[in-house]
Amino acid sequence: MDDPRESARLAAKVDAAAWVARYVAPHLSCSPDVLDVGCGPGVIARAAAEAFPSGHFSGIDLSAERFTGTAMIPPNLRLLVGDARCLDLGADTFDFVYSRFLLEYLADRQRAVAEIIRVCKPGGQVLLQDLDGQLLWHYPVDEELQSQLASVVAALEVTGFDPYVGRKLHSMARASGLIDIRVTAESYHLYAGRIDESSLSHWRTKLAIASPAIARVLGSHGKADVLVRTLIDYLQRDDTLTYSVVFTVVGRKPLAE
């Protein structure tokens, strides 16, 4: 079961209306059928449904617990429980299918991309967005912190986590048959000097949720606490820089021959 704090953290860290305006709206017709794969608590799917009341929107996530406490669902939105690697949805169903920050944590991600494309209509658009370098890139280098973070990331990779999935989206999209592919890359986590209080609060929550897993990797809760404190202290220094990159890949499903 998900930590009950995770849904609130996911909802709070994104400006859903702004994300929809930038990444979803340009691809929609007047009455689109749209699918959000790995929708989490559904805040982006809800914002999209509210922005396009004549459309039909669906959000699907593996964890039903993430829907707990979800605000009132618009009548043109349905939230479904399901696995992105085996979508219980018909082929050629949606005009636009998107996935945000799903593939980084998902084993068999190429299979998930194939499923995302399968349920998109021929001629429809697919958007994949994910991070590259999360937790990894800091300067100046704190050798002890970097070593511990590397251990945690290596352990997470066994579960399917890939800290470099962002740069791989283009290749996965091509391998799964998308055409007319466009790629953009932008900084995501970018803290030059002391982190702002809002971002620091999100990091404190994220690390608190992750602490049990960190303790298993490092061997004790005490060592996990030290890593968390060290990273939080690092982010609050005036001389440090921390960043990651977000890749966005948009492509079209070919028309049926």
Side-chain angles (χ1 to χ4, degrees):
M1 180 180 293
D2 279 340
D3 187 296
R5 295 167 293 181
E6 180 67 2
S7 290
R9 186 187 74 84
L10 292 172
K13 67 180 292 190
V14 62
D15 184 336
W19 198 91
V20 167
R22 181 172 182 183
Y23 295 108
V24 178
H27 305 291
L28 301 192
S29 59
C30 294
S31 301
D33 286 302
V34 181
L35 176 64
D36 180 336
V37 182
C39 67
V43 291
I44 290 177
R46 187 172 68 249
E50 290 172 347
F52 291 85
S54 64
H56 303 281
F57 293 81
S58 302
I60 190 165
D61 197 89
L62 185 62
S63 173
E65 286 80 7
R66 286 189 174 179
F67 300 150
T68 302
T70 297
M72 185 178 66
I73 299 173
N76 60 334
L77 170 64
R78 58 176 180 162
L79 296 177
L80 309 169
V81 177
D83 190 330
R85 296 161 294 189
C86 187
L87 294 171
D88 189 19
L89 297 165
D92 306 337
T93 299
F94 299 94
D95 300 295
F96 182 63
V97 186
Y98 65 92
S99 166
R100 178 181 184 270
F101 297 179
L102 166 70
L103 299 173
E104 182 179 24
Y105 298 97
L106 192 65
D108 300 326
R109 55 187 58 86
Q110 186 70 64
R111 181 178 170 188
V113 173
E115 277 290 275
I116 287 169
I117 296 171
R118 180 184 67 81
V119 300
C120 183
K121 292 178 182 177
Q125 299 281 318
V126 169
L127 180 148
L128 307 173
Q129 186 177 81
D130 232 302
L131 294 175
D132 208 83
Q134 184 180 190
L135 285 176
L136 297 178
W137 296 331
H138 313 274
Y139 194 85
V141 176
D142 180 316
E143 295 291 353
E144 181 64 23
L145 173 62
Q146 206 68 37
S147 175
Q148 292 183 345
L149 287 174
S151 296
V152 172
V153 169
L156 289 174
E157 286 176 350
V158 175
T159 71
F161 175 74
D162 184 351
Y164 300 113
V165 72
R167 69 188 65 181
K168 301 174 183 177
L169 296 180
H170 175 251
S171 177
M172 288 192 288
R174 283 181 54 85
S176 294
L178 286 185
I179 60 175
D180 300 334
I181 297 172
R182 291 94 71 197
V183 180
T184 58
E186 309 158 78
S187 63
Y188 184 68
H189 300 112
L190 176 58
Y191 312 121
R194 185 180 180 89
I195 190 173
D196 64 274
E197 288 301 320
S198 177
S199 296
L200 180 62
S201 176
H202 291 314
W203 273 98
R204 288 188 188 278
T205 302
K206 179 173 185 165
L207 291 169
I209 294 169
S211 283
I214 295 173
R216 287 193 294 271
V217 172
L218 298 181
S220 73
H221 289 288
K223 289 181 179 179
D225 290 343
V226 169
L227 171 58
V228 169
R229 285 198 304 272
T230 301
L231 179 55
I232 292 296
D233 289 346
Y234 185 94
L235 291 171
Q236 294 182 92
R237 282 168 46 181
D238 292 328
D239 65 325
T240 60
L241 183 139
T242 292
Y243 75 103
S244 62
V245 175
V246 61
F247 280 86
T248 305
V249 171
V250 181
R252 181 169 61 86
K253 182 174 178 176
L255 293 172
E257 295 183 356

